[in-house]
Amino acid sequence: MTLHLAIVGSGPAGYYTAEAAQKLNGGDVRIDIIDRLPTPFGLIRAGVAPDHQSIKAVSRRYEKTALTDNVRFAGNVSVGEGGISIDELLGLYDAVVLATGAPTDRPLGIPGEGLPGVLGSAAFVGWYNGHPDFADLAPPLHSESVVVIGNGNVAIDCARIIAKLPEEFEGADIVQHAVDALGASQVKLIRIVGRRGPHQVSFTPKEVGEMGELARATPVVDPAVFPPVEEDDALEPGLRKVVTALRGFAAAGPDPEKPVRVHFDFFLRPVEVLGDGKVEALRLERTRLIDGRAEGTGEMLDIPCGMVISCIGYRTIPIAGVPYDERGGRFVNEEGRISPGLYCVGWARRGPTGTIGTNRPDGFAIADLIAAEITPAGKPGRAGLDPLAAEKGVDIVTFRDWQKIDAAEVARARGSAPREKFVAVDDMMTTARS
């Protein structure tokens, strides 16, 4: 008897789970990968920096899985409120795996964070990557000063994208509306703010190194923020390279020929966003390390700025009928098991930690769990999903339909760009049905 599996979410966690699940039930398995957008690949398409094309190449592996006979992409299908419910999916499939990722921003939790000009990184990254939810964001790049909160790669990505000239996006799939806005940007000062010091950052060497190669921007680090150089020896190799690069920036000082400054500011904690009807400044408290934790000193500092980008983490979107961990921003689960027949994987399971590749062993572990716990029960799977979708007025987009969108985006590409993405779902659907 065929095992029917639904995977909700078509990002890395979803496709790695599908790849592992193809071996379930002796290969007699049918898998539907469901996504609310007509386009697959999730974070790879809309989260990875557009000037990091080598990372995006992993989608070719997912494409191989998508084109096998027992896997189907079912795009343009919402799950949860207003769409197909979890109970309906559980009635159609032997097992349902939530691989929805963590697509919304963790709130700053400080006064003033609702002011216009305060953006979460999910929104800002989605804007320059052409995600339909954020295409109309219009970030205030007319300001001369921007503060980016966070000490991870997303913070560096946001700062780097703002600092680049349009010609530095050769070969990138950044969308045209972002190139135009960034080309007209008046930003001269970008501050990357972190609560702790250089030894506690989550940057990786590649991202830090790129900051020293920008055409019009120069990195700035205060030499006083570093501990004695001898303490670098205790760091793991990757972090040691990062700290060495930061020490190099501090020693070199800013390049006077470059008009844009990118400051790495350490030992500062955001306290309040200040402004009357819009962002005008960010109030920060100086911190110090006590047993590795950042503690406030009571000394305050106001930094004038016209935009604040928060890069402090992400949250999974709750789904009706699925227990949710508000504190962790993920689904309540036990090693991926939510309830009988219902599982979660990737960031939806463990929170927003790890790299793209971390999702592969996660997906294989969930497939093993399903193999141990689920016996095919004669459920209809996709044969039941299609009439239910039609009844609800849902027009399912298959992978073959996505290939039409893909081809059209490639044909629209400007210059050396690999594609020019559609940023409106209506345009995607028109192309899919052409």
Side-chain angles (χ1 to χ4, degrees), residues 292-305:
R293 296 176 61 85
E295 294 193 2
T297 63
E299 181 183 352
M300 299 294 176
L301 171 69
D302 290 352
I303 297 179
C305 60

Side-chain angles (χ1 to χ4, degrees), residues 97-177:
V97 179
L98 303 180
T100 53
T104 60
D105 289 293
R106 178 182 163 198
L108 274 170
I110 61 175
E113 69 174 310
L115 282 171
V118 180
L119 309 176
S121 56
F124 186 66
V125 171
W127 169 75
Y128 62 65
N129 266 322
H131 193 293
D133 291 352
F134 306 112
D136 298 326
L137 188 66
L141 293 164
H142 56 273
S143 168
E144 287 195 2
S145 179
V146 172
V147 177
V148 181
I149 301 172
N151 268 177
N153 281 344
V154 175
I156 281 197
D157 284 346
C158 292
R160 185 183 69 255
I161 294 298
I162 295 172
K164 278 192 168 185
L165 291 167
E167 50 264 35
E168 290 180 273
F169 291 113
E170 289 294 316
D173 65 345
I174 186 170
V175 291
Q176 187 64 52
H177 68 236

Side-chain angles (χ1 to χ4, degrees), residues 282-367:
L282 179 65
R283 178 162 293 164
L284 301 130
E285 181 182 16
R286 295 196 185 278
T287 63
R288 60 188 173 191
L289 283 182
I290 305 294
D291 296 327
R293 296 176 61 85
E295 294 193 2
T297 63
E299 181 183 352
M300 299 294 176
L301 171 69
D302 290 352
I303 297 179
C305 60
M307 179 165 64
V308 174
I309 303 175
S310 173
C311 307
I312 62 170
Y314 301 113
R315 296 169 63 85
T316 295
I317 297 175
I319 297 177
V322 183
Y324 188 76
D325 176 5
E326 288 286 348
R327 182 181 178 87
R330 58 189 175 88
F331 297 121
V332 176
N333 71 93
E334 182 181 344
E335 298 299 320
R337 184 190 301 102
I338 298 174
S339 60
L342 182 61
Y343 303 86
C344 58
V345 69
W347 285 7
R349 179 187 75 81
R350 65 181 190 274
T353 61
T355 64
I356 291 169
T358 308
N359 292 296
R360 186 176 185 276
D362 213 25
F364 276 70
I366 292 302

Side-chain angles (χ1 to χ4, degrees), residues 334-403:
E334 182 181 344
E335 298 299 320
R337 184 190 301 102
I338 298 174
S339 60
L342 182 61
Y343 303 86
C344 58
V345 69
W347 285 7
R349 179 187 75 81
R350 65 181 190 274
T353 61
T355 64
I356 291 169
T358 308
N359 292 296
R360 186 176 185 276
D362 213 25
F364 276 70
I366 292 302
D368 289 342
L369 200 58
I370 292 171
E373 297 180 349
I374 301 298
T375 301
K379 293 184 177 182
R382 70 183 60 165
L385 178 66
D386 291 0
L388 177 63
E391 180 184 320
K392 292 176 177 283
V394 175
D395 186 5
I396 293 177
V397 171
T398 67
F399 201 82
R400 299 293 182 188
D401 297 327
W402 146 248
Q403 288 180 312

Side-chain angles (χ1 to χ4, degrees), residues 30-87:
R30 295 293 178 270
I31 304 165
D32 279 350
I33 300 178
I34 299 169
D35 201 290
R36 73 179 180 90
L37 291 178
T39 55
F41 308 142
L43 179 71
I44 302 301
R45 178 176 168 91
V48 172
D51 53 352
H52 285 175
Q53 287 297 305
S54 60
I55 297 175
K56 293 185 178 239
V58 72
S59 63
R60 298 192 193 105
R61 175 175 184 149
Y62 308 149
E63 185 171 282
K64 289 180 181 178
T65 301
L67 292 173
T68 51
D69 292 339
N70 60 348
V71 174
R72 179 181 72 157
F73 173 67
N76 198 43
V77 179
S78 294
V79 172
E81 188 173 350
I84 295 173
S85 72
I86 290 295
D87 284 344

